[in-house]
Structures are given as C-alpha cells and as structure tokens.
Amino acid sequence: MDAASVIRAEGSMRKQHLIDPETCIRCNTCESRCPTHAITHNADNYVVDPVLCTFCMACNRPCPTGAIDNWVFVARFYTLAEQFGWRELPARVTDREPAAEALDEEAAAILDVAHRGMRGTARAPASASKPQINVFNRAAPACATVTGTVRVTAENASSDVRHIILDFGTIPFPYLEGQSVGVIPPGQEPDGQRHAMRLYSVASARDGERPNTNNMALTVKRIPLSPGQDGRMRGIASNWLCDLRQGDQLEVTGPYGATFLMPDDPDADLLMICTGTGVSPFRGFTHRRRRTAPNARGKLHLVFGARSPAELPYFGPLQNYQKSQLDCDLVYSRQKGRPKEYVQDRLRARAADVASLLRRETTHVYMCGLSGMEQGVDDALGAIGRDHGIDWPELRARMREAGRFHIETY
Ligand code: NAP
C-alpha cells in the first residue's frame, strides 16, 4: 500500500484531490489524461471524483496552470455537486480547526520578525496554492518520526548542517513549499520556563521527499551552546535536532506562513537569493518545479552564498542540475585564494541577466537567510536598475503589491 492509500485507509482525515476553479483554464488536459476517469466537468468547473481518484498524478504534470495541484485533508469528501458550484476553493479544507488560543502567537511573532519590512504589504503570489496554517499547535502537535538524518556540509567543514527527514505516518500534515514548521525542544529553561518554539522552513516539495510521501525535510545548522543576550541558552533546539537519530520521535506544530510561497504558474521566473541554511525553502521550490513542470518556460535562478564549498549545504546535489533546470550561482566569502564575495556582489556581476529578469512581469524575487544581506541585496538591485533604466524602488513596491517580492530573514 502506498503512503496515500495508508492515509486514506487509516486516518480519520482523508486526502482529497481538488481543482482550483480560479486558476483552471478549462483546457481539458487533465480529464483527457486521467486513467480512471475521475476527472469530469460541467459548463462551469472541472472536478475530481474522490471515489475514482487514485492519486496517480498523471494529470498533474501536463496541467499548464497548476490548478490541478490541490491536495487537501478532509473529514468528509467534497461531493461532485459541491465542486461544480465553486467559484474558488473553500478557504479552509480541514476539520482540524485550531482552537482560538491555538493561533500560535509564538510562531506568528517569529515570522513577523522574519518578514519585517514586508509587514502590512507581504502578499502571496497570485497563482500560489492556498496554504493551510496552524493545523497543529503546542496543545495538539503532530508526532513525527525521524526517518533520516544526514550531514549536508562536508565532514571537514566547521558548520554541521543536517538534512533531517520527518515522517508523519498516518497523520496528514499538509504544507506548501516556503512554509515553516515549529518544534519545541524537550525540557525547560533553568528558570523553569518552557523552551521557546523554533521555526524551520520546510526543505521539501509539498508532496514529500519523494512524490506522494507524507514526510518533510528540515535543514538545521548546529549552533554551539552559549548563553544569549536574553540570558537564555542558544543552540538548544539545533543541538537536540542534530542529535536526533533514525526512529526518534518529536512533536511538530504548524504549518505557518501564508505569503512566502511559490507561484504555481510554470511561466513564473524565480530569482532566489539566500545564505547558508536559508536555501531550505528554495530546495522545496526547485523540487516542486522539477516534479510538476520540468519543461516550464519560467526560469529558476539561485544565488547562494556560503563561506566555502565545504560549508555550503547541499553542495553535491546542486552540482547535478543543468543550467536549464536551475541557474545556480554559488558564491563564497572565505574561499582560499579567492576574493571575498557575497550574494549581492554576484548579482552585480550578473547585472545584465538580473536586469532582464527584473524587466519581466513574470519574475518573483525571494530572499532568505541572514538579515544582514537585505540591505546589500537591495543596494545591488538599485544599482543594477540605475544602469539598466529600471526604477528599482518603484518596481520593488509594485512587485510587493503583486506578491512578487518576498523576504524571510533572521
Ligand atoms: P552563515 O553560514 O553564517 O553565512 C552564510 C554566508 O553569508 C557566509 O558566506 C557569510 O559570510 C555571508 N554573509 C554574512 N553577512 C552577510 C551580508 N551582510 N550580506 C551577504 N552575505 C553575508 O549562514 P547560516 O548560519 O547558515 O545562517 C543562515 C540564516 O538563515 C540564519 O540566520 C537562519 O536563521 C536563516 N534561515 C534558516 C532557515 C532554515 O530553515 N534552516 C530558514 C530561513 C532562514 P561571512 O561569514 O564570511 O561574512
């Protein structure tokens, strides 16, 4: 039995495949590809029969808009009659309605910091799938089992960054690329207070590390244990996570975040700028695009900074991409024999390509990682704009408004 069948058979929540009537262009591609004839239509909508759908994904790749790609967990299946009547997908598609106190203020506060500067104007891309948030909370977390943990920086690197795979078994944990999850380290602070929640971006595509698996990966850097300025110890969560072994269990909350999401539109170009473990959401974006639209017109351009190749998480796997799949600029600040280079320096070095991306209405800019890079990147984009006849401050405001400019930094 595959993971999806297990979820359907055992969980009180069941997985259902839906088509987003807002982005569907009624091209009939999905219906013509469905081997079980689960997809049908009337004059208004294309819909999926939950009884006939086997989650085989044959419809997924050919869909030109991504409207096909909505997988939700429900206590009762939406009927065909209900789906025929929709103008948009239902706002909330789980019966795990969080209790009022469960709207995690703790997580919201962390994300608020990460999105500062965007506050009040952060928007999701127009074609992004609708995220679910706060499905699990401190009072009712999801229990995950570690099914893999592997170091993704070189053995001789000073930073220990680990790729940790969490499996949710039969508990549906719905997430989208770019969302975060919360973990709470066991134990207490010396003053008896509970440990604070830590947020990590999901590093996987929404359907798991392999298609149709109910798991996710996190990218975690071990921070040396040391007292922080607020008197609390730093590094507690990262050391605990990095020390977890296969088979260990932990509680996970979330998912969180409703704006740092990728567009479903395969024509969208993504300029992804990151440092260190900030690469995490972009791994999810890249896997997602490759899985669902490998021949998409939209380009993926990653500008990724680390101290050296040894310190760069996922250095090996990143070598395997062809430029057509992922235009990958790896930038090093402390590589022997080479001048220090930051991501903003590389943006300037590739000014013509960056300017051509910025000119396209299909381009989305994402920044994730150290907050220190924000100003440098903004300055670089401003300078590139000036040299290429683009009013960057005006464009940045317009992109924000349209959900095409996204920052998540700590
Ligand atoms: P890091 O190793 O400390 O730094 C990565 C690179 O960024 C280094 O080459 C560093 O250069 C460079 N850098 C430092 N200051 C910079 C600046 N002002 N402009 C541009 N580049 C600069 O990174 P890290 O420890 O992995 O930290 C990544 C950040 O991402 C953390 O703050 C983390 O909280 C955040 N984050 C993590 C996740 C996740 O899910 N794991 C998700 C989102 C964000 P030098 O050291 O040589 O100066």
Side-chain angles (χ1 to χ4, degrees), residues 200-201 219-221 275-278 280-281 305-307 333-334 340 342-344 368-370 372-373 408 410:
Y200 289 90
S201 305
T219 314
V220 183
K221 177 175 173 176
T275 56
T277 53
S280 180
R307 293 183 175 182
S333 60
R334 304 192 196 186
K340 183 182 187 89
Y342 277 169
V343 284
Q344 51 268 40
C368 188
L370 295 171
M373 78 170 147
E408 189 156 301
Y410 294 98

Side-chain angles (χ1 to χ4, degrees), residues 158-160 221-228 233-236 238-239:
S158 60
S159 58
D160 176 10
K221 177 175 173 176
R222 190 188 292 274
I223 308 289
L225 279 170
S226 62
M233 289 298 282
R234 290 188 76 237
I236 293 204
S238 70
N239 277 280

Side-chain angles (χ1 to χ4, degrees), residues 26 30 37 57 64 105 107 113 133 140 182 187 228 244 246 259 287 292-293 298 304 311-312 334 337-338 343 361 372:
R26 280 80 177 162
C30 55
H37 306 289
M57 310 289 273
E105 285 178 14
V113 171
I133 52 173
L244 288 173
Q246 217 170 341
T259 58
H287 282 202
T292 58
F304 182 4
E311 308 281 346
L312 186 126
R334 304 192 196 186
R338 280 175 60 171
V343 284
E361 289 297 318

Side-chain angles (χ1 to χ4, degrees), residues 238-292:
S238 70
N239 277 280
W240 161 65
L241 286 169
C242 288
D243 287 339
L244 288 173
R245 292 284 157 259
Q246 217 170 341
D248 287 346
Q249 296 199 314
L250 70 159
E251 292 179 340
V252 183
T253 65
Y256 305 114
T259 58
F260 198 96
L261 303 172
M262 72 180 290
D264 275 343
D265 176 5
D267 284 345
D269 303 289
L270 312 189
L271 175 57
M272 304 174 283
I273 306 162
C274 63
T275 56
T277 53
V279 72
S280 180
F282 302 144
R283 181 178 182 272
F285 287 7
T286 307
H287 282 202
R288 170 77 187 161
R289 179 62 77 80
R290 274 191 79 185
R291 222 172 258 175
T292 58

